[in-house]
Amino acid sequence: MSAAPSGPRTILLTGAAGGLGTLMRELLPRHGYALRLLDVRPVEGAPDAIVADLNDTEALREAVRGVDGVLHLAGISLESTFDKILESNIKGTYQLYEAVRAEAASRADGTAPRVVFASSNHAIGYTPRPRVEDGDPLVPVGTPRRPDTFYGLSKSFGEDLAQFYWDKHGLETVSVRIGSCFKEPTDVRMMSVWMSPADGARLFHAALSARDVGHTVVYGSSANTRLWWDLSTARALGYEPQDDSEEYAEKLLAEFGPLSDTDPAHLHMGGRFVNDPPVWPY
């Protein structure tokens, strides 16, 4: 089950109508992927997309049939009530792994789809931000998880679920603790955790194509001058980030000023999620 796929690669992209999913719909085909799209909402411009909830087990089972991998971006991406997070991010991710397990069991050749799980820096949100400029080391992937919200808690669960399905069933996963993947950073803090869309596609490609990943946790960001975390496990997959948020520094510093040592949103890895988290609007 550990070998990377060769030849044409069909990937199930969950959350295809979301912001990150929309970016990856454009970028991943350039890396040689054919995409099968799934979202709870219709996907604009993609009439063949599967419209289904992650807890629709029959639709999910059909969605993973024959795929080489799954890029799992679906779910609530901000804070919400525990009940909503439970249904979407926790139960939904469990149902995805069950569908992948069933697909693997049905294959005579013993192969299994590789899962790339969109984890988040909010799984370690209460970790103090390092003062790298003062000599603090970069934050490693092995730092204890300290989720900052129910959302962050669901990402911690997802990482544990991935580890369980590797240990119990031999299903491989790369859990990517994504920082902020937008076309450009929007504030000074984001400069440390920003991942350009092009680097996001490069990282997801590396996670889908590397060999023998077992369950690997990586941070997802560009090669930022102000980087807070250690990208070594991502680079070990073959990820070579090419972008740096520093090109936006002059504009953002002029607008916002430097990070504050008294602002709670600047003291922790999770930013404003620790004290004033944005709330999922649905």
Side-chain angles (χ1 to χ4, degrees):
M1 292 185 184
S2 62
S6 60
R9 290 164 290 180
T10 299
I11 302 301
L12 173 65
L13 174 62
T14 73
L20 183 53
T22 298
L23 292 169
M24 292 305 112
R25 279 161 42 205
E26 175 185 352
L27 293 169
L28 281 175
R30 303 177 191 178
H31 292 271
Y33 295 100
L35 301 182
R36 183 179 299 169
L37 308 179
L38 181 146
D39 201 289
V40 70
R41 297 175 293 162
V43 180
E44 185 177 355
D48 294 335
I50 301 165
V51 180
D53 186 274
L54 287 174
N55 288 298
D56 183 340
T57 57
E58 185 174 334
L60 197 56
R61 178 68 186 88
E62 286 302 311
V64 302
R65 194 176 303 280
V67 301
D68 299 300
V70 179
L71 177 53
H72 181 41
L73 305 180
I76 292 173
S77 59
L78 301 172
E79 181 61 319
S80 189
T81 65
F82 179 76
D83 286 343
K84 289 181 179 179
I85 293 286
L86 176 65
E87 287 300 315
S88 178
N89 294 18
I90 294 177
K91 289 184 177 179
T93 301
Y94 160 74
Q95 297 293 1
L96 174 70
Y97 273 93
E98 276 296 286
V100 171
R101 182 185 66 80
E103 172 64 12
S106 73
R107 295 183 179 181
D109 62 3
T111 62
R114 166 85 52 84
V115 178
V116 176
F117 169 62
S119 186
S120 171
N121 67 105
H122 297 293
I124 58 163
Y126 270 109
T127 302
R129 70 170 173 90
R131 270 63 172 186
V132 178
E133 65 278 10
D134 295 330
D136 285 357
L138 297 174
V139 176
V141 294
T143 194
R145 291 197 300 256
R146 298 177 64 179
D148 51 28
T149 45
F150 290 135
Y151 166 70
L153 188 65
S154 75
K155 297 305 182 179
S156 294
F157 170 83
E159 291 185 14
D160 282 341
L161 194 71
Q163 185 66 52
F164 172 76
Y165 273 82
W166 164 243
D167 290 335
K168 185 77 171 179
H169 302 294
L171 301 182
E172 291 195 316
T173 298
V174 177
S175 294
V176 182
R177 290 178 183 166
I178 299 170
S180 298
C181 189
F182 299 102
K183 291 185 178 179
E184 61 181 67
T186 59
D187 59 33
V188 174
R189 176 193 168 274
M190 195 182 294
M191 291 173 61
S192 295
V193 300
W194 178 67
M195 181 168 66
S196 72
D199 277 343
R202 293 182 188 104
L203 178 51
F204 293 142
H205 169 56
L208 287 163
S209 59
R211 293 184 179 273
D212 301 322
V213 300
H215 175 227
T216 298
V217 180
V218 306
Y219 288 115
S221 73
S222 291
N224 302 316
T225 297
R226 300 166 191 256
L227 187 67
W228 286 344
W229 48 50
D230 182 1
L231 293 179
S232 60
T233 56
R235 292 182 185 276
L237 298 177
Y239 174 50
E240 297 182 1
Q242 298 180 19
D243 297 318
D244 185 345
S245 63
E246 200 64 18
E247 65 177 294
Y248 304 100
E250 182 177 359
K251 179 181 74 172
L252 292 172
L253 286 168
E255 183 176 355
F256 297 104
L259 294 180
S260 167
D261 286 334
T262 59
D263 186 341
H266 293 171
L267 296 177
H268 301 91
M269 299 289 286
R272 61 180 288 212
F273 275 60
V274 304
N275 66 317
D276 184 27
V279 176
W280 188 247
Y282 305 111

